[in-house]
Amino acid sequence: MITELVSVGTEILLGNIVNTNSAYLSEKCALLGLSVYYQDVVGDNEGRMRDVIKTALDRSDVVILTGGLGPTEDDITKEVTADLMEMPLEEDLHSRKLIDKYLKEYEKNNPQRRITKNNYKQAMVPKGA
């Protein structure tokens, strides 16, 4: 199976961090018998991300995305991918509860930090996923 890895993050393109995710995932894919033919890096830009993911879906059997999944506004991997696959996002109650539990503990141990609404963005999943 032709496999493609897509790493998302402007910080990778700028050299601020090393893309260790692709090295790790390539090794694990090989152990599973998946042939990694392509590795892409794309910044946190909707248009370019959409183009890279479309290309990956057209030429590969398996597409693995990493990065761009946090709670910040520039983390749009999930939104772009769900839109491309025509799978609307919906809140997963189980994930929401786990995030809430984690954040309340985090807030308790870090009184200067507060839970913000955008943290719950991570509980949104493609419908049917």
Side-chain angles (χ1 to χ4, degrees):
M1 294 182 86
I2 297 173
T3 304
E4 186 157 350
L5 306 176
V6 178
S7 299
V8 178
T10 302
E11 63 276 12
I12 299 169
L13 291 174
L14 295 175
N16 295 336
I17 65 167
V18 175
N19 188 3
T20 57
N21 285 3
S22 285
Y24 175 82
L25 290 169
S26 287
E27 181 181 6
K28 297 304 177 188
C29 285
L31 291 172
L32 292 170
L34 299 172
S35 301
V36 177
Y37 280 26
Y38 307 98
Q39 290 185 10
D40 306 300
V41 178
V42 64
D44 299 298
N45 175 280
E46 183 175 351
R48 290 188 293 270
M49 191 183 307
R50 186 176 294 278
D51 290 344
V52 167
I53 295 169
K54 276 184 192 176
T55 299
L57 290 170
D58 287 342
R59 69 182 177 192
S60 300
D61 302 308
V62 176
V63 178
I64 300 172
L65 288 105
T66 179
L69 295 168
T72 60
E73 286 185 27
D74 67 328
D75 288 324
I76 57 173
T77 301
K78 182 173 26 180
E79 291 81 356
V80 170
T81 304
D83 184 58
L84 279 170
M85 295 190 294
E86 299 179 358
M87 297 175 74
L89 294 174
E90 64 183 8
E91 185 176 79
D92 177 69
L93 187 57
H94 178 71
S95 296
R96 169 75 185 229
K97 288 178 181 177
L98 290 174
I99 292 166
D100 196 40
K101 180 180 175 185
Y102 172 82
L103 290 174
K104 284 185 178 173
E105 189 66 25
Y106 180 81
E107 187 177 28
K108 184 175 88 174
N109 293 325
N110 299 277
Q112 73 281 8
R113 303 292 299 263
R114 292 289 174 255
I115 297 171
T116 59
K117 186 178 177 182
N118 64 313
N119 290 112
Y120 294 107
K121 173 183 172 184
Q122 294 177 99
M124 301 300 289
V125 300
K127 187 174 184 170

